[in-house]
Amino acid sequence: MKISVVGGGYVGLVTGACFAQLGHDVTIIEIDSDKVKSINNNQSPIYEIGLDLLLKQHTGNNLSASTSFDLLATADIIFICVGTPPKPDGSSDLSYIESASSSIGTALKNKSSYCCVVVKSTVPPGTTEKNVRPAVLKTSGKSEDAIGFAMNPEFLREGRAVEDFMHPDRIVIGSNDLRAGKQVALVYQGISAPVIHTGLSGAEMIKYTSNAFLATKISFSNEIGNICKHLGIDVYEVMNGVGYDPRIGPLFLNAGAGFGGSCFPKDVSALVSLAKDAGENPVLLQSVLTINEQQPHRMIALLLEKLGTVSGKRITILGLAFKDNTDDIRDSCAIPVIRDLLQKGARVSAYDPMAVPNMQQIFPEIEYCSCATDALVGSDGCLVMTEWPEFSRLDKEFDLMAHRVIIEGRRILTCNGVEGICW
Ligand code: UGA
């Protein structure tokens, strides 16, 4: 099939490259010409395991990128993968979705064959029906016989996105007309997973609900962990025992510094905002966010218990990315921690295998080191913020600290003398 993907960010680029791997002819439409150049030169503008290899195999063959929406005219199916960033009140900013829809419609004006427009971006229920559909139909001047609409949420985890795309637990296809739903199912031929057909808004809501439930599991584990800490109980032992119940399951019960990233905080906030607009008071979802906002500050409270003050002290941050295997720092728990430490007068040294250049944009004033050892030399306290596997091998490096005070937010260290945030 001829597939166009509008938006070459994390989701669009992985989606496009994986569709190329499935044998489709893929064009990624991206307004940032630097990204387009980079993709066409086989160089992924983002770090994602397996993506470089896919670009190498398919760019110039059945995968290319362009800034021109005109190329959409030849597509059988178009996936919208643009961002839906949060507005200050937590609701989703749909301006990129709306402008992409209008540009798609304009490009389809003279198209004679059927085409299906599929929203993959995470959008509030009703968006495909009430925003995308009318915008595309208006600017194209066409009827629903010529253009179909579908919503196909992504469930990709950063750092494991290629693997998640190729081996999904399910493929959700929302559409209000049979033809569009069938067309979307066809592009996934070759992938073995249950296909769930829903209405448009149902698919949109499945995405929000999945992320909100996963975030709830994490905040729940953190609250239990905070209680366990007072009682002298190991929350990891508790959640291991709890997770054996198949009604609960063992995943996403790791207590720690809280969830970050571009999805959970944004999507739960958007759902809260949607609920309020509908006249509901979403107490559970709000608590999920509140627990998550407070959690990283517990690391500082523990540090202050040990050191009395951090003013003038050298404090080491190990891990800046919002999780391992990514250079992404969006909503990383390290950000509020560094901000708080700087406000309290600490001298911060930091190390992360991948995310230093991104964090330098936010905190140019702190000391960035090229390895954990350098960051730890002469340090008065260390906070572990990200679950990078290489941290699990650290031990003697901590002897280089002026005071061996180690507070862990991720349960990744294996050495002795470590205080866990909630264990
Ligand atoms: C998340 C979902 O897992 C994906 O299914 C979804 O497609 C994606 O959002 C999205 O909406 O696009 P992602 O944000 O990449 O994926 O990362 P996760 O692996 O889910 O981790 C999110 C955060 O939760 C990280 O900060 C991680 O450290 C934290 N976490 C995760 C915990 O604190 N405890 C856990 O048990 C699991």
Side-chain angles (χ1 to χ4, degrees):
M1 273 181 150
K2 273 185 170 300
I3 298 179
S4 286
V5 176
V6 176
Y10 275 98
V11 173
L13 188 50
V14 171
T15 300
C18 290
F19 278 143
Q21 174 73 359
L22 290 179
H24 299 294
D25 201 347
V26 181
T27 310
I28 294 171
I29 310 295
E30 165 61 52
I31 50 171
D32 180 339
S33 55
D34 287 339
K35 270 192 194 169
V36 167
K37 252 188 235 152
S38 163
I39 297 168
N40 286 333
N41 286 333
N42 281 337
Q43 259 160 14
S44 172
I46 52 155
Y47 173 75
E48 190 60 56
I49 294 168
L51 191 55
D52 274 332
L53 185 64
L54 288 182
L55 291 188
K56 212 180 244 170
Q57 286 171 340
H58 298 288
T59 313
N61 298 319
N62 60 337
L63 176 68
S64 63
S66 170
T67 51
S68 168
F69 276 80
D70 295 346
L71 297 177
L72 295 177
T74 58
D76 300 313
I77 188 158
I78 299 166
F79 285 86
I80 300 181
C81 298
V82 298
T84 50
K87 290 203 252 184
D89 66 355
S91 64
S92 298
D93 178 353
L94 297 178
S95 54
Y96 298 117
I97 291 277
E98 280 159 1
S99 73
S101 304
S102 300
S103 304
I104 290 169
T106 308
L108 296 181
K109 237 180 197 165
N110 299 319
K111 186 171 170 59
S112 50
S113 55
Y114 176 80
C115 177
C116 184
V117 176
V118 189
V119 176
K120 211 172 224 323
S121 309
T122 301
V123 291
T127 303
T128 309
E129 180 68 28
K130 294 191 192 122
N131 303 59
V132 177
R133 182 176 159 275
V136 173
L137 292 180
K138 185 176 168 206
T139 48
S140 66
K142 295 205 180 280
S143 72
E144 293 233 17
D145 298 338
I147 305 178
F149 295 90
M151 203 280 155
N152 171 225
E154 55 84 17
F155 302 103
L156 311 176
R157 289 165 297 174
E158 278 183 34
R160 292 155 185 86
V162 172
E163 170 77 12
D164 283 348
F165 190 99
M166 291 301 183
H167 305 282
D169 358 80
R170 79 290 207 194
I171 294 166
V172 174
I173 301 173
S175 68
N176 292 347
D177 80 276
L178 261 176
R179 187 176 181 187
K182 276 190 185 160
Q183 177 106 330
V184 180
L186 273 180
V187 297
Y188 285 101
Q189 260 183 2
I191 287 189
S192 159
V195 177
I196 298 149
H197 287 275
T198 67
L200 283 171
S201 302
E204 291 163 334
M205 192 63 179
I206 285 172
K207 168 68 189 204
Y208 273 116
T209 308
S210 295
N211 275 2
F213 191 79
L214 292 169
T216 304
K217 281 182 99 171
I218 299 170
S219 277
F220 177 82
S221 305
N222 286 341
E223 182 150 282
I224 296 292
N226 296 340
I227 300 166
C228 283
K229 178 92 180 162
H230 286 288
L231 303 179
I233 300 167
D234 181 354
V235 64
Y236 275 72
E237 204 173 271
V238 172
M239 288 321 212
N240 181 45
V242 169
Y244 271 90
D245 184 330
R247 292 170 300 175
I248 296 172
L251 304 178
F252 274 68
L253 299 179
N254 294 330
F259 57 78
S262 62
C263 305
F264 288 169
K266 164 178 90 72
D267 293 350
V268 181
S269 300
L271 199 49
V272 165
S273 164
L274 275 168
K276 285 184 180 165
D277 287 349
E280 283 298 322
N281 180 15
V283 271
L284 176 60
L285 295 174
Q286 264 168 332
S287 301
V288 167
L289 291 174
T290 306
I291 293 168
N292 199 55
E293 275 152 26
Q294 290 170 354
Q295 205 63 9
H297 297 286
R298 287 178 169 261
M299 306 276 291
I300 311 257
L302 276 171
L303 193 62
L304 289 172
E305 255 176 46
K306 307 266 174 198
L307 297 178
T309 175
V310 291
S311 179
K313 305 236 160 114
R314 178 173 164 89
I315 305 298
T316 303
I317 303 291
L318 292 184
L320 301 169
F322 85 94
K323 65 172 186 180
D324 62 317
N325 281 320
T326 179
D327 60 355
D328 196 342
I329 57 158
R330 284 176 289 177
D331 269 322
S332 166
C333 301
I335 295 172
V337 164
I338 295 173
R339 190 167 289 132
D340 202 356
L341 285 171
L342 291 176
Q343 268 165 9
K344 290 184 164 56
R347 293 178 294 124
V348 177
S349 62
Y351 166 69
D352 186 286
M354 302 208 69
V356 165
N358 285 336
M359 200 56 101
Q360 275 170 329
Q361 312 281 321
I362 300 185
F363 297 112
E365 67 271 49
I366 70 173
E367 182 194 345
Y368 293 95
C369 303
S370 56
C371 61
T373 310
D374 288 356
L376 287 166
V377 174
S379 174
D380 296 292
C382 170
L383 304 179
V384 180
M385 302 305 305
T386 312
E387 58 272 42
W388 282 104
E390 70 171 70
F391 295 159
S392 66
R393 295 187 290 274
L394 295 174
D395 188 358
K396 291 205 165 35
E397 291 80 354
F398 292 116
D399 295 340
L400 300 168
M401 297 174 73
H403 302 100
R404 203 183 148 115
V405 172
I406 310 159
I407 316 255
E408 207 194 346
R410 295 295 175 194
R411 185 74 155 227
I412 186 76
L413 301 184
T414 50
C415 58
N416 292 326
V418 176
E419 172 104 31
I421 175 176
C422 48
W423 56 89

